[in-house]
Amino acid sequence: KIYRGKKMLINVDELVPQHIEKIYQTILKGAYINENSSKNGNSEMYNAIVSKENELRAYFRPLGYTLLRREGYYYFARDDASDGESALEQIVNYIEIANFLKTLDSNFSVGYRFMLTSMEHQLNRNLELEELASKMKDIRAGDNREFIQKIVDKLRKDGFVEETNTKSSEFIVLNSYEYIETFLGEVEIYE
């Protein structure tokens, strides 16, 4: 089980064996590995990657993945650019969501905690938010509750938020949300 990378000999048995399969499964899903996540062993995987970052980067390179590190999270980029158009569409959708969330609360960022009900109440009372919501083409809902639920479900599915309290539907924004904020900071939104 020795892998010969371009410059490095890697003993796969030493590559955090208790985490390697889960890290690979995370790659396949296109998810993020967050330091501040308490779900699914995410923070343990994060620490495992930190301990063997260069070796893991070399290990995944021939599989077509590049391990990328940002402040408090890791993610994997595919080496081929075959799906560039859909990736761009997804980024545009996330910019719309991030703009909506920043309008909802200017403090919405990494580490922010929120409850679905409070987001819904704000949307019910704010005409500017309702207008933004009506312009979002990818999220269609029958009412404001469903609209908020769909946004949070998308963020959760893609690894940007996680539920911290199921009884009160409380969530935390994970470190990987910085990925979206980076794009939001680079664009100007015109009405």
Side-chain angles (χ1 to χ4, degrees):
K1 290 192 174 184
I2 302 276
Y3 164 74
R4 291 182 187 278
K6 285 185 178 178
K7 298 178 183 178
M8 180 179 298
L9 211 76
I10 300 171
N11 183 344
V12 177
D13 292 332
E14 293 177 6
L15 282 180
V16 292
Q18 68 274 27
H19 297 290
I20 194 80
E21 183 178 349
K22 197 158 191 175
I23 290 169
Y24 185 70
Q25 292 301 321
T26 301
I27 293 169
L28 292 176
K29 294 177 188 173
Y32 298 84
I33 298 173
N34 287 280
E35 179 181 33
N36 70 335
S37 172
S38 62
K39 302 285 184 188
N40 302 324
N42 214 317
S43 63
E44 290 84 8
M45 282 192 299
Y46 177 88
N47 292 329
I49 293 173
V50 167
S51 73
K52 298 286 186 177
E53 184 174 336
N54 291 332
E55 293 89 342
L56 286 167
R57 189 170 280 120
Y59 177 77
F60 287 115
R61 167 65 69 196
L63 299 175
Y65 294 97
T66 301
L67 175 64
L68 299 171
R69 180 182 192 176
R70 299 294 184 261
E71 185 63 40
Y73 69 100
Y74 285 97
Y75 68 102
F76 295 88
R78 292 268 320 158
D79 289 343
D80 62 12
S82 61
D83 205 14
E85 190 173 315
S86 69
L88 182 60
E89 287 175 21
Q90 188 172 19
I91 289 170
V92 169
N93 292 337
Y94 271 118
I95 289 171
E96 287 181 332
I97 289 171
N99 183 47
F100 173 82
L101 294 170
K102 279 290 189 190
T103 304
L104 183 92
D105 187 336
S106 61
N107 295 316
F108 196 97
S109 188
V110 172
Y112 183 81
R113 293 181 179 273
F114 65 93
M115 293 179 7
L116 294 178
T117 54
S118 64
M119 291 177 83
E120 179 191 355
H121 290 303
Q122 287 179 273
L123 179 54
N124 289 337
R125 294 185 308 236
N126 188 318
L127 292 175
E128 181 183 5
L129 286 173
E130 291 221 7
E131 187 177 325
L132 280 175
S134 70
K135 291 180 180 178
M136 294 173 70
K137 26 185 179 342
D138 267 17
I139 301 176
R140 293 289 172 222
D143 59 23
N144 289 346
R145 176 181 300 257
E146 183 183 3
F147 179 81
I148 294 295
Q149 186 67 57
K150 284 185 174 186
I151 285 178
V152 172
D153 287 347
K154 181 170 179 52
L155 291 170
R156 180 180 17 198
K157 177 184 152 287
D158 293 342
F160 297 114
V161 301
E162 81 180 16
E163 193 167 23
T164 57
N165 186 325
T166 55
K167 287 184 179 181
S168 64
S169 293
E170 186 176 337
F171 292 82
I172 185 170
V173 180
L174 298 173
N175 291 335
S176 54
Y177 189 76
E178 181 266 344
Y179 184 81
I180 297 171
E181 289 180 317
T182 299
F183 286 106
L184 183 62
E186 297 294 322
V187 298
E188 290 184 37
I189 298 173
Y190 297 99
E191 295 298 323

